[in-house]
Structure formats: C-alpha cells, structure tokens
Amino acid sequence: MADAYSRVTGKTGVVLVTSGPGATNTVTPIATAYMDSIPMVILSGQVASHLIGEDAFQETDMVGRPGPVVVDIPKDVTNPVDKFAYEYPEKVKMRSYQPPHRGHSGQIRKAIDELINAKRPVIYTGGGVVQGNASALLTELAHLLNYPVTNTLMGLGAFPGDDEQFLGMLGMHGTYEANMSMHNADVILAIGARFDDRVTNNPAKFCTNAKVIHIDIDPATISKTIMAHIPIVGAVEPVLQEMLVQLKQMNVSKPNPEEISAWWSQINEWRKVHGLRYAPGENGVMKPQQVVEVLDKVTNGEAIITSDVGQHQMFGAMYYKYKRPRQWINSGGLGTMGVGLPYAMAAKLAFPDQQVVCITGEASIQMCIQELSTCKQYGLNVKILCLNNRALGMVKQWQDMNYEGRHSSSYVESLPDFPKLMEAYGHVGIQIDHADELESKLKEAMAINDKCVFINVMVDRTEHVYPMLIAGQSMQDMWLSKGERTE
C-alpha cells in the first residue's frame, strides 16, 4: 500500500513494521518499488540496541539500498521516557545520491537537430515521465512536432490514451503499430525509459536503423542495453522544458510536413492490420478484452485502475484508455503477484472520491484476499473485477505456445465462490456469466459506493494475449493471433 500510495499521489509512501518477520515481509515490496523507482520509506522495528548482533528474538539484519529507504529503529530508542532534541535539516545531502537536475544544453540542442530532421520519428516514454511529473510537457512536445508517441507498461497515462498521436503500448505485448513504428523509425526519442527486455526483445536486432536520443536521470541506465547516440542525463521535467524553449526559439523550419505526413500514412496502414482486434465470443462467452473495453465505457475512462500480474494485467493495459498519469497502477519491473488489491486500497485511501477498480485474476486475488477485512474496517470501497478463466492464464499461454499445450500446474480448478466470500466479509458480490448481462451488471457494480464490490466475470479460458513478440527476434516479428504471425 505504501508503494501504491507513492505511485498514485507522487508523494513518498511510508510504512511502519515490527522487527523480524515484520521487516522481512517488506522485502518483496522493497524490491517492487526499487525496480520501478518508486520513492518509499520503511520504518522497521528492531531489538534493543544492546541486543543487536546477538541473534535475539525476532532480530533480522535489514540493509537498505538506493531507491526505497529502510530506517531500522531499535526498540529502546522508542521508549517514551527518553527525550531527544530534533531539528529538521534545512537541506538533505547524501554523498551516495546526487542525481543531476538539468540536462546539458549542448546535448539538448543536438537532440533537437536530429528530431527536426527526422523522417520517421517515434517518441518512446516510460515510467520516468510519470514519476517526473512531465506528462504535460511531453504532450506539448508531441503536439508541437506532430510525432507519434508510444508508452511502456509503466508509462501508460503519460500521454493521453485517446489522443490520435498515441500508438498504444509497445514491446512484448505492444500494439502492432507501436512495434512496427519503432522497428522502422530513423530517430527514437526515449524519455524516462530503460530499454528493458520486454521492450527490446533481442537487443542485437532492436531498431537497427534508428538514432537513439535517451533522456534519463540515471546515467547508469543510458547505453546500458541499447547504445544512445545522444545521451542526455537529467530529470525529465527540466530537460523537456529546455527542449521546448529551444524548439520555440530556433530559427529553423519545423519538421518536413510532407515526410511526416507520409510517416503518418504508413502508421495508419499498420493500425489497420491489427488494431487490437480479437475474435468475438460465441453463445454469450465473454472475451477478457471485451470486459475491459466495457469497463472503460461504463467508467468513461476516468477510473484509477490497478492490476495484478498476468494476462489480465496485459488486457487491462491494452484495452483501457488511460487519459492521465498515475491512473494505471501496477508492478512493472518485478511483476509482483498479489499487489492489485492493496494497490487499489492505497489509491482509494489517497483519493476516496475516485472510482478505483482492481483488474485481477482468480489466482492473484487470493494472495492478499484477507485484506477485504481491512477494506471493511477502513471503508476502502474499491471494485474488484476478476477476469476468471480458471487458470494461471499467462503460464498456460506459454505452455500452449512453447510446450505443445502440455499444461502443468496452470489450471486453478479449486476456487471459492467469490460472490459468497465477499458477502462473508460484509461486501457485495456480483456474478457475470453471459455477455448479455456484462454492461448492465458492470454499471450496477460501479453505482455501489458504500461497500466493496467483487465482480466475478467468467471469461473464455482459451484466450491468449496478442500481439506477442517472437522471442529472440526484432520488434517487427510478432504473433498476431493463434497461428498468425508477421511475415
């Protein structure tokens, strides 16, 4: 929840835990926050000072690392009898953490020259734009240049999902048009993204004809995986601010309108090839894509969406149109199963008047389902939308595609009656079995605001997530549906 509070508000999330097992319970959340560069402080209890190092009851050696901060507090220090003088420092300076603020003006000028002269440009943005509060600047830059924009999983919402210039998400399960545009680009402006394996696929075959401009606050990230032709080290917000200032002041013509128009024509042809199409269900069977599309419709695209990890995460990322930053809350780098419900709880705690929906699966939700009691106690009335396919969907998909359909430990047949379980916790359960009742029951669920609502939607258990990059190949090599791949 502390991790999610930071993601959804932009403020630092803080959590207090006891010593020993209380502290070790935070290891996975620390790793989750670390992988996605989420500011978070963990205050962990510790045995009394004189017992440290003695393997005392519930003593655990907790060591912090850059990113999330762990403050280990010995028990005796918290004794209310002892008083300590405290002065808040005027400024904080850490020898081990001195991130650059502004980017180099000369490098920014070089980047602008490349962008102006590009014939097939793409702006590729990651979670750094969201964390850096630079979404408005990104949108202004993209509109000024009339260039296409694609987001990573962590960057969704950094550029409006309903904007004509948005190509959708890129990478392993990115849209056809986003991946094809990246592969054929001549200039890529990467902003706050780290070129992880879910985007690059095979680095040796990644966008080989493109010049890469890479903006990132962490110099270790630049050219780590993909060589940057123009590296710019700095915080995203001031770098984009200066980029816009220089663009507006330069006495040069804007990008060649004919060349950019031709590029958009090609992109629009790619959009026609797939466009997130899927085969409709028969005899009332619901497709998970369909469920998310209807959710987007009944919430007017305004809900805060959290997710767990798996197929439902990908469907939630692809088929809901995120209009603003911090609207999509999920574990990207670590892929932590079970975060969906606590993430939703934190979002509701931060924004009690917002509609908050957790898109989950029948396996993921059971990892933290006891927190329904916490929801009841604190009035955290979230909506839980379960795309129930009675399987570990992504595991099963990989078994279908790579192991000739030999399924091992991927079916989840022993399941509770989720609506009744919700009622046992004092909440509301809604069951949806047929496509004809999908929209009406989702509207009914969204209208309930005084209790949590679990919407158990029985979806097609054979459905896969497409497009899907073909392992070891380039971004133009994709599965488009079962048995259909790019040439």
Side-chain angles (χ1 to χ4, degrees), residues 123-127 129-130 138 149-161 166-171 174 178 199 322:
I123 300 174
Y124 148 52
T125 72
V129 177
V130 177
L138 166 66
V149 180
T150 181
N151 293 155
T152 66
L153 181 70
M154 292 302 301
L156 291 173
F159 188 79
F166 185 54
L167 303 180
M169 187 174 73
L170 82 164
V199 167
Y322 300 96

Side-chain angles (χ1 to χ4, degrees), residues 40-169:
M40 181 171 69
V41 173
I42 299 93
L43 303 175
S44 60
Q46 187 53 281
V47 299
S49 301
H50 71 282
L51 293 175
I52 292 177
E54 299 294 325
D55 292 327
F57 175 67
Q58 291 197 336
E59 179 192 0
T60 302
D61 184 12
M62 294 296 291
V63 180
R65 60 180 291 185
V69 176
V70 179
V71 181
D72 211 30
I73 305 172
K75 182 180 178 181
D76 53 310
V77 174
T78 65
N79 191 330
V81 174
D82 297 322
K83 305 297 181 184
F84 304 92
Y86 177 76
E87 294 181 5
Y88 197 85
E90 292 183 6
K91 62 179 181 179
V92 177
K93 185 176 182 180
M94 297 173 62
R95 184 179 62 184
S96 61
Y97 185 68
Q98 293 293 325
H101 185 63
R102 306 193 67 85
H104 191 279
S105 294
Q107 292 293 93
I108 293 173
R109 177 57 185 257
K110 289 180 182 177
I112 289 173
D113 288 340
E114 287 292 346
L115 286 169
I116 288 293
N117 293 309
K119 296 179 180 179
R120 301 181 306 280
V122 175
I123 300 174
Y124 148 52
T125 72
V129 177
V130 177
Q131 298 303 326
N133 299 311
S135 297
L137 293 170
L138 166 66
T139 304
E140 183 181 355
L141 177 68
H143 286 165
L144 181 65
L145 294 170
N146 190 30
Y147 286 178
V149 180
T150 181
N151 293 155
T152 66
L153 181 70
M154 292 302 301
L156 291 173
F159 188 79
D162 55 356
D163 194 291
E164 281 296 316
Q165 291 175 228
F166 185 54
L167 303 180
M169 187 174 73

Side-chain angles (χ1 to χ4, degrees), residues 22-23 89 160 230 262 272 279 293 310 318 320 385 393 400 419 435 439 444 459 469:
I230 302 177
K272 296 175 184 177
E293 285 180 333
M318 296 162 72
Y320 199 96
L385 179 63
D400 286 338
E439 185 170 344
E444 175 189 343
V459 297
L469 290 179

Side-chain angles (χ1 to χ4, degrees), residues 278-325:
Y278 59 92
E282 298 178 356
N283 301 318
V285 174
M286 290 169 287
K287 298 287 186 174
Q289 303 95 317
Q290 171 190 8
V291 178
V292 178
E293 285 180 333
V294 175
L295 175 68
D296 183 86
K297 178 182 177 182
V298 301
T299 60
N300 297 314
E302 295 292 344
I304 295 173
I305 305 294
T306 73
S307 82
D308 280 290
V309 175
Q311 282 185 327
H312 58 267
Q313 176 191 29
M314 293 298 104
F315 291 130
M318 296 162 72
Y319 290 89
Y320 199 96
K321 301 293 183 264
Y322 300 96
K323 300 176 181 178
R324 63 185 188 277

